[in-house]
Amino acid sequence: MKEFKINGRKVQAEKGETVLEVARREGFDIPTLCYHEKLGSDGRCRLCIVEVQRGNRRRFVTSCLYPVENGIDVYTDSKDVILIRKTILELLLARCPSSDIVQHLASEYGVHDVRYTKDVDKGKCILCGQCIRTCESIVGVSALCMSGKGPAKKVTTPFDEPSEVCIGCGACAVVCPTGHIYIEDRGGYRTIWRKKFELARCPQCNRLHAPIEQLEFISKKTGVDIDELLICQNCK
Amino acid sequence: MNISLEQLDSITARYTEKMAGYGKVVRICCGTGCVSSGALNVYEGLKKALIEKGLSDSVLVKQTGCHGLCERGPIVVLGEEEILYQSVGKRNIEDDISALLNTITDDTIVERMLYQGEDKTKRYISPKDIPFYAGQNRIVLSLNGIIDAEDIEEYISQGGYRALYKALLMEPEEIIDWIEKSGLRGRGGGGFPTGTKWRSCRAAHGDVKYVVANGDEGDPGAFMDRSLMEGNPHGVIEGMIIGGYAIGSNQGFIYVRDEYPLAVSRLLKAIEGAKEYGLLGKNIFDSGFDFDIKVFRGGGAFVCGESTALMSSIEGKSGEPRAKYIHTVEKGIWERPTNLNNVETWACVPHIINKGWEWFASIGTSHSKGTKVFSLVGKVKNTGLIEVPMGITLREIIYDLGGGIQGDKQFKAVQTGGPSGGCIPEAYLEMPVDFDSLTKLGSMMGSGGMIVMDERNCMVDVARYFLKFLVEESCGKCTPCREGVRRMYEIVDRICHGEGKKGDIQHLEELAHAVSLSSLCGLGQSAPNPVLSTIKYFRDEYTLHIEEKKCPAGVCKALIRFSILPDKCTGCMRCKAECPVQCIKGEKKEVHEIDSDRCIKCGTCYDVCRFDAVIIE
Amino acid sequence: MEVDTAKIDSIIEKYNRDRSYMLAMFQDVQRLYRYLPKEAISYICKQLDIPFSKGYEMATFYKALSLKPRGRHTIHVCLGTACHLRGGPNILETFERELHIKTGETTEDGRFSIETVNCLGACALAPLVRVDEHDFGKTTQAVVKKIINEFTDGVKS
């Protein structure tokens, strides 16, 4: 058991918990964009930064990764913490001006004007990496990756071409916090990451429900017969 | 085979005898600088000439590591009397080689190849007398320029691997005590106490531990580690084996920049040699201690100099850093305790073990012990590599060793710490150079690059340069560094283009503050330093750019104009001939004129004019 | 493009099929082809049982790797601090002007590619240019033309 303070209030936590987990449980508001309960933390967006004082040492840490410690003082809304959040939100707003969630968070922090030239080529992607982590560790295919570095970094498939291994499951689009990933089901086909997938039709209700490649992938992984998987969730 | 101390001594005796057989030894610096200046031609030429004269058995010609005075390369040092010849073969290689032969055969000293002092009145024979060398205290560089880096027997004969023998008779804790008491701090930039790091790594849980030498010397303007790895690779290797033993690790990694192919091949050769002599491998010196070293080549990514990014790269991934809330000494490479030190730090270790911690602690200042290697470059007369005791002042380095500013122009600033450091103005030239003083000035020691700037360097342009560098080298993982640094660059770039706005400086300061507090790794956290330090010490220059659209140093192309003063121009045609875009008009002995519409403002005319007729407005 | 899998196999074996040496394998392949072909990345990933996406991620992260074919001679213009201060950017511009290509591009005849590098560590000789494995120190605009001629006329292969 660890005991420390958040904004002056005493809190308790289990060893191994992060400051963010404890703060949220205790009702303190810390904004996040790249954090996901199931996928864990990667410390990319930096929005969840808090100020931690330990003895005389004051430092700024990402609460999503920082393990709780006895006797620390955590501040979730100090002057510098607010400055950091505003700065990050203004930077993200300049990068993804059309992202609703970024707009929403920015206005919450009073960031209305962007002092920079707005990007037109980044879409709504804030490079949180949740799609890549989902594809790799939840779906288990690793179709996506980051390419390049610095401001040119982007999420993509190898060589920006349709991926051989992508099964069209769309989990990346579901998990994306900004709605950047384009997925379209039309005319019996799904298009995602420049690849077109034929959708399976449920033999019972005749509904199109999932890409055939995805069902084949599941069948191969689980050993369940493909005919069984062709039946949609509603009819099972 | 398991080597013994006796065998080291017999190698030494055999070697000394072999050396005594030669009438003379000629050492040709084959560091990267001298090689670019043609040292290999001198080496080949001299060898050939000696064969022709039938002297190849009595004269030994050796290739050595960097001698330091790169500006005057190729450097050749002759015999025990130590005659230093500079710029050998630069003007006429045949003449210079026959001059070398003269010195070899009858000790004639060739005046024109001797180092000449700044006042042009005195020529120096021995490097010991040249101010550039006289002000140094060479410890880690002591064998650079002396030994052939590719011959392990030379290293052994100069006392090499005796520290390892001694260390393996000590208890690991005792070694750590020594390192701690010596006051050795990390030479890679941060200045973290080395002994403390070793102790934490030794105490960390885990059977498998790693030690790493960081040779990813990415700071532009720094080549200390390169010279060490190329000039004396065994010094680094010996330090790592001792560290491995003290920490309880059997596996070392050396991570070297891709841009340093010679360092990679020298290290590989040295490791091979050490294995052959039983100095790496199983049961070293019959101590029961095993140690192996692998070399990793970088891929041209500056961020890989950051410890967690480097470790990620060794794991075979792209070099993205990770949060260090759990220290790498506990969870580093493959989540195993990993102790990373810079190449120069490792190279200090054998010396501390050989001569004792008291000796090391007696050099330097109260909190910064020992010496530090710097690469002194930029607008200084004697550019090159120096090793000086901590606490020496910036003025001593730049004016006594460096010989002052090229062309006797006005000193403006010295940049230390690479892209993480800052620019220090003239007012602080008396500042002692140590970890804490430089940090106090808003710069940092960094790995040891020291770049001297004069009145012709624009500080806003320098800030822009570093920002551009950092934009390119940011890994892009975290928002503040990826987005914030490029926005800082945009603002400074605008200022350089004469499009600065009121409020830009405050905006920069605010953005810089947030980026430094919130970035994930050291690269982003220190990225604002070049901007903040130039604003701090050269605010007027920023204001002139923003408010009056002027670049006083004459660098920012959008803000300057080149023209020719009619009363000074002699019509010599030189600028006209050199202009890359042929935009200078005028016949011989007529006043020339620059067509400013076509001028690309490269400054060539300014640089080549011998009559100061070209001016920058 | 078809790659010589036997040659790539021997590169993979040289590093004992150790995944942590993927970057080194890529660099060795690049030495064979003067760039890193897609097919080689794909082949190495399959052999090491690493997702293709991870190989691509690495190939685009490290500046030393090029996914585009490079010219027979790569001109690296150093833009380290010392080179910047002593006119490196002008040298770069001169190369671009003389060869009619921009940084990162290759001349039509496939002879030269221009790249920049952030410090080659020979700062005392700034501004520095490296062509293949030859270094040229204290480069001037006149030297640029000389370098181009030297490599064009086959003096240096």
Side-chain angles (χ1 to χ4, degrees):
Chain A
M1 189 62 81
K2 305 270 174 188
E3 213 174 71
F4 63 101
K5 280 186 198 160
I6 300 179
N7 296 347
R9 195 171 96 206
K10 261 196 189 145
V11 293
Q12 290 186 329
E14 293 298 324
K15 189 178 174 222
E17 279 191 289
T18 64
V19 166
L20 179 69
E21 285 165 334
V22 181
R24 289 211 164 154
R25 189 170 63 228
E26 297 288 337
F28 294 99
D29 179 40
I30 298 175
T32 57
L33 276 170
C34 70
Y35 173 77
H36 189 286
E37 265 178 48
K38 293 283 182 294
L39 295 168
S41 322
D42 213 4
R44 288 178 182 270
C45 78
R46 321 298 290 170
L47 208 52
C48 72
I49 280 184
V50 295
E51 191 171 338
V52 167
Q53 187 144 8
R54 194 171 141 207
N56 286 329
R57 196 173 170 211
R58 197 179 73 125
R59 61 198 286 217
F60 294 82
V61 301
T62 39
S63 58
C64 69
L65 282 166
Y66 197 80
V68 294
E69 279 176 285
N70 272 325
I72 53 171
D73 280 302
V74 176
Y75 299 96
T76 66
D77 53 6
S78 68
K79 194 170 140 251
D80 280 329
V81 168
I82 300 299
L83 170 74
I84 290 168
R85 280 187 205 153
K86 285 179 138 178
T87 305
I88 291 172
L89 287 166
E90 186 183 355
L91 291 169
L92 286 178
L93 202 53
R95 177 186 168 90
C96 309
S98 61
S99 160
D100 300 337
I101 184 166
V102 174
Q103 283 173 16
H104 176 79
L105 275 168
S107 78
E108 210 173 279
Y109 280 87
V111 178
H112 301 291
D113 297 325
V114 172
R115 290 169 287 179
Y116 314 107
T117 316
K118 290 177 182 166
D119 288 334
V120 291
D121 57 342
K122 307 280 194 287
K124 294 178 183 173
C125 181
I126 54 162
L127 292 171
C128 70
Q130 287 190 33
C131 50
I132 298 173
R133 282 182 279 156
T134 304
C135 189
E136 183 179 351
S137 58
I138 309 284
V139 184
V141 301
S142 286
L144 297 175
C145 61
M146 298 271 182
S147 80
K149 63 176 203 253
K153 203 177 189 104
K154 64 173 187 181
V155 175
T156 184
T157 50
F159 292 89
D160 299 331
E161 289 170 358
S163 156
E164 262 179 54
V165 295
C166 176
I167 54 169
C169 69
C172 50
V174 173
V175 79
C176 176
T178 62
H180 169 75
I181 299 172
Y182 176 77
I183 181 165
E184 184 190 65
D185 287 358
R186 195 200 297 181
Y189 288 92
R190 167 173 294 178
T191 311
I192 186 167
W193 294 110
R194 305 171 200 88
K195 191 174 173 184
K196 213 169 167 185
F197 296 89
E198 191 183 344
L199 292 171
R201 198 173 285 281
C202 172
Q204 295 180 10
C205 69
N206 215 25
R207 191 173 67 95
L208 292 164
H209 63 106
I212 295 174
E213 270 190 56
Q214 183 188 353
L215 299 179
E216 285 168 352
F217 176 82
I218 298 171
S219 166
K220 211 170 138 195
K221 275 239 153 152
T222 57
V224 177
D225 197 78
I226 185 85
D227 291 334
E228 216 173 298
L229 293 169
L230 281 170
I231 302 166
C232 79
Q233 293 295 322
N234 297 354
C235 299
K236 259 178 197 160
Chain B
M1 109 185 179
N2 290 340
I3 199 163
S4 64
L5 183 63
E6 290 70 37
Q7 278 163 314
L8 286 186
D9 289 341
S10 75
I11 289 170
T12 308
R14 204 172 61 216
Y15 182 82
T16 316
E17 200 179 315
K18 189 172 107 190
M19 283 301 114
Y22 288 108
K24 240 177 207 133
V25 180
V26 181
R27 296 186 178 91
I28 299 179
C29 173
C30 287
T32 303
C34 284
V35 168
S36 313
S37 303
L40 292 177
N41 295 338
V42 177
Y43 176 80
E44 296 300 336
L46 183 60
K47 288 231 34 159
K48 207 172 123 214
L50 287 170
I51 292 169
E52 279 164 13
K53 295 257 173 199
L55 290 168
S56 54
D57 290 335
S58 59
V59 180
L60 176 67
V61 187
K62 283 207 293 195
Q63 296 189 9
T64 71
C66 181
H67 213 275
L69 193 55
C70 313
E71 177 81 28
R72 306 289 184 103
I75 301 284
V76 177
V77 177
L78 292 109
E80 294 311 313
E81 311 91 319
E82 293 234 359
I83 302 167
L84 183 141
Y85 284 152
Q86 44 125 42
S87 304
V88 180
K90 285 287 264 193
R91 257 165 310 175
N92 185 319
I93 184 145
E94 279 83 27
D95 286 1
D96 286 0
I97 284 178
S98 52
L100 281 175
L101 280 177
N102 285 341
T103 310
I104 290 166
T105 46
D106 55 17
D107 294 321
T108 355
I109 286 172
V110 186
E111 278 282 319
R112 70 180 156 82
M113 293 204 290
L114 291 175
Y115 177 89
Q116 192 174 32
E118 282 317 317
D119 49 10
K120 305 263 181 212
T121 53
K122 190 177 169 194
R123 285 190 181 269
Y124 297 85
I125 296 173
S126 165
K128 287 190 277 285
D129 303 323
I130 299 173
F132 177 80
Y133 291 105
Q136 297 191 41
N137 180 2
R138 292 190 156 212
I139 296 170
V140 297
L141 288 181
S142 56
L143 294 182
N144 259 51
I146 304 286
I147 62 167
D148 176 347
E150 299 200 356
D151 186 351
I152 185 172
E153 296 208 349
E154 288 216 8
Y155 181 70
I156 291 173
S157 304
Q158 297 283 346
Y161 288 109
R162 304 307 197 285
L164 175 61
Y165 179 81
K166 183 173 170 186
L168 291 176
L169 295 174
M170 293 164 73
E171 287 300 320
E173 280 83 2
E174 195 186 354
I175 298 173
I176 296 179
D177 279 344
W178 277 37
I179 299 297
E180 210 158 55
K181 284 193 269 189
S182 75
L184 178 65
R185 293 170 68 174
R187 262 56 180 155
F192 191 82
T194 307
T196 312
K197 195 186 253 186
W198 287 21
R199 196 178 294 285
S200 318
C201 195
R202 179 168 179 79
H205 292 290
D207 299 334
V208 178
K209 292 178 185 178
Y210 302 116
V211 295
V212 181
N214 185 349
D216 193 55
E217 183 173 53
D219 286 5
F223 54 99
M224 303 73 53
D225 297 345
R226 155 179 220 156
S227 302
L228 276 173
M229 292 184 284
E230 288 178 1
N232 188 13
H234 285 288
V236 181
I237 292 168
E238 189 178 2
M240 286 180 77
I241 310 173
I242 296 170
Y245 171 70
I247 288 159
S249 158
N250 305 107
Q251 179 66 58
F253 298 107
I254 307 179
Y255 191 93
V256 192
R257 282 185 88 199
D258 180 55
E259 290 84 346
Y260 292 176
L262 185 61
V264 173
S265 74
R266 292 258 163 94
L267 284 165
L268 288 173
K269 192 151 191 185
I271 289 169
E272 203 182 298
K275 280 183 180 162
E276 201 181 302
Y277 282 74
L279 295 158
L280 273 175
K282 299 265 175 231
N283 196 17
I284 300 165
F285 284 121
D286 271 324
S287 62
F289 175 66
D290 309 336
F291 197 72
D292 186 30
I293 295 178
K294 286 184 185 169
V295 173
F296 276 84
R297 201 163 21 130
F302 173 73
V303 68
C304 287
E306 197 277 343
S307 60
T308 59
L310 185 150
M311 291 179 194
S312 179
S313 186
I314 287 183
E315 290 172 0
K317 297 187 243 170
S318 59
E320 278 191 355
R322 51 183 184 244
K324 284 198 265 192
Y325 304 142
I326 296 164
H327 297 295
T328 51
V329 288
E330 285 164 31
K331 278 187 180 182
I333 298 173
W334 295 300
E335 305 236 312
R336 287 173 166 147
T338 305
N339 184 96
L340 178 140
N341 285 119
N342 165 266
V343 160
E344 190 184 332
T345 315
W346 289 118
C348 289
V349 171
H351 297 281
I352 295 172
I353 300 297
N354 267 332
K355 297 184 196 144
W357 62 266
E358 297 92 339
W359 160 81
F360 193 82
S362 71
I363 308 163
T365 62
S366 58
H367 293 290
S368 299
K369 298 297 185 191
T371 56
K372 177 79 193 84
V373 184
F374 289 99
S375 61
L376 186 60
V377 297
K379 302 291 185 72
V380 66
K381 282 178 182 158
N382 297 329
T383 55
L385 202 66
I386 55 166
E387 182 174 353
V388 288
M390 297 270 194
I392 188 172
T393 65
L394 286 166
R395 185 182 295 282
E396 285 172 288
I397 291 181
I398 296 164
Y399 285 91
D400 297 349
L401 278 70
I405 310 301
Q406 282 176 358
D408 293 313
K409 288 208 168 71
Q410 184 69 36
F411 169 89
K412 189 163 183 179
V414 56
Q415 209 276 348
T416 69
S420 310
C423 295
I424 301 167
E426 187 163 23
Y428 298 98
L429 277 181
E430 305 307 331
M431 209 53 165
V433 175
D434 61 36
F435 288 105
D436 311 299
S437 310
L438 292 181
T439 309
K440 239 180 266 164
L441 291 178
S443 183
M444 66 188 286
M445 177 84 91
S447 55
M450 205 171 256
I451 300 139
V452 179
M453 301 174 190
D454 69 9
E455 56 194 279
R456 273 279 277 140
N457 294 126
C458 166
M459 302 316 283
V460 188
D461 175 69
V462 166
R464 177 174 68 158
Y465 165 78
F466 281 111
L467 287 169
K468 181 160 186 276
F469 176 93
L470 290 159
V471 170
E472 280 172 21
E473 296 297 348
S474 161
C475 80
K477 180 176 179 177
C478 78
T479 315
C481 174
R482 181 188 66 237
E483 307 292 336
V485 177
R486 89 165 149 125
R487 297 305 183 177
M488 283 198 277
Y489 170 72
E490 284 174 9
I491 298 170
V492 175
D493 190 50
R494 219 170 9 82
I495 296 174
C496 290
H497 279 95
E499 291 154 22
K501 292 186 300 227
K502 224 176 163 186
D504 275 348
I505 296 179
Q506 292 75 11
H507 184 183
L508 274 173
E509 286 173 322
E510 179 200 293
L511 182 55
H513 182 61
V515 168
S516 75
L517 291 182
S518 61
S519 290
L520 195 163
C521 79
L523 189 152
Q525 286 159 13
S526 60
N529 285 353
V531 181
L532 288 175
S533 71
T534 47
I535 292 180
K536 185 171 169 189
Y537 299 121
F538 302 93
R539 203 181 185 98
D540 289 352
E541 210 166 325
Y542 276 85
T543 314
L544 275 173
H545 279 73
I546 296 169
E547 288 174 14
E548 295 181 34
K549 313 292 176 206
K550 277 195 178 134
C551 175
V555 172
C556 296
K557 289 186 179 179
L559 307 181
I560 54 168
R561 228 182 111 240
F562 286 86
S563 58
I564 295 171
L565 293 173
D567 53 330
K568 284 205 175 166
C569 177
T570 63
C572 75
M573 308 275 285
R574 187 151 180 200
C575 59
K576 192 181 168 186
E578 297 270 345
C579 174
V581 291
Q582 291 88 41
C583 76
I584 300 176
K585 285 188 299 199
E587 295 307 311
K588 204 167 173 70
K589 300 211 170 139
E590 271 177 25
V591 170
H592 297 347
E593 200 184 329
I594 298 172
D595 176 356
S596 33
D597 290 338
R598 287 173 43 231
C599 173
I600 56 165
K601 297 169 183 175
C602 68
T604 303
C605 50
Y606 180 91
D607 292 333
V608 300
C609 181
R610 281 167 297 186
F611 309 101
D612 295 328
V614 181
I615 54 158
I616 304 168
E617 295 166 289
Chain C
M1 138 135 208
E2 212 165 294
V3 291
D4 184 340
T5 51
K7 276 187 183 159
I8 299 179
D9 279 331
S10 70
I11 289 172
I12 297 173
E13 290 307 326
K14 184 176 140 195
Y15 297 102
N16 296 319
R17 313 186 70 81
D18 185 343
R19 290 171 177 207
S20 29
Y21 283 99
M22 190 159 74
L23 172 58
M25 294 174 196
F26 283 178
Q27 282 165 311
D28 287 5
V29 170
Q30 178 161 289
R31 209 161 289 157
L32 277 180
Y33 298 102
R34 289 204 302 268
Y35 82 110
L36 182 58
K38 179 166 95 182
E39 294 73 15
I41 302 175
S42 162
Y43 184 77
I44 290 174
C45 286
K46 282 208 178 90
Q47 292 299 310
L48 300 179
D49 198 20
I50 291 173
F52 185 35
S53 58
K54 296 286 164 220
Y56 178 71
E57 182 167 301
M58 172 172 274
T60 58
F61 186 87
Y62 293 103
K63 201 179 172 181
L65 301 172
S66 170
L67 296 176
K68 280 193 297 188
R70 279 177 172 151
R72 286 196 291 287
H73 305 292
T74 303
I75 299 165
H76 282 106
V77 180
C78 182
L79 292 182
T81 320
C83 291
H84 175 82
L85 296 180
R86 286 203 196 167
N90 275 334
I91 298 298
L92 178 63
E93 277 175 29
T94 312
F95 270 112
E96 291 181 333
R97 204 164 46 236
E98 293 291 325
L99 295 172
H100 307 287
I101 52 169
K102 293 266 161 227
T103 305
E105 295 177 349
T106 302
T107 51
E108 255 175 45
D109 60 2
R111 196 181 293 275
F112 294 107
S113 298
I114 307 178
E115 311 233 331
T116 61
V117 54
N118 285 326
C119 197
L120 288 165
C123 316
L125 300 169
L128 195 82
V129 172
R130 175 179 290 171
V131 186
D132 306 333
E133 57 279 357
H134 304 276
D135 287 343
F136 299 88
K138 299 189 181 171
T139 325
T140 58
Q141 312 223 2
V143 173
V144 168
K145 292 181 192 168
K146 225 179 87 193
I147 293 174
I148 294 173
N149 288 337
E150 216 170 281
F151 283 86
T152 307
D153 300 341
V155 179
K156 294 209 168 96
S157 55

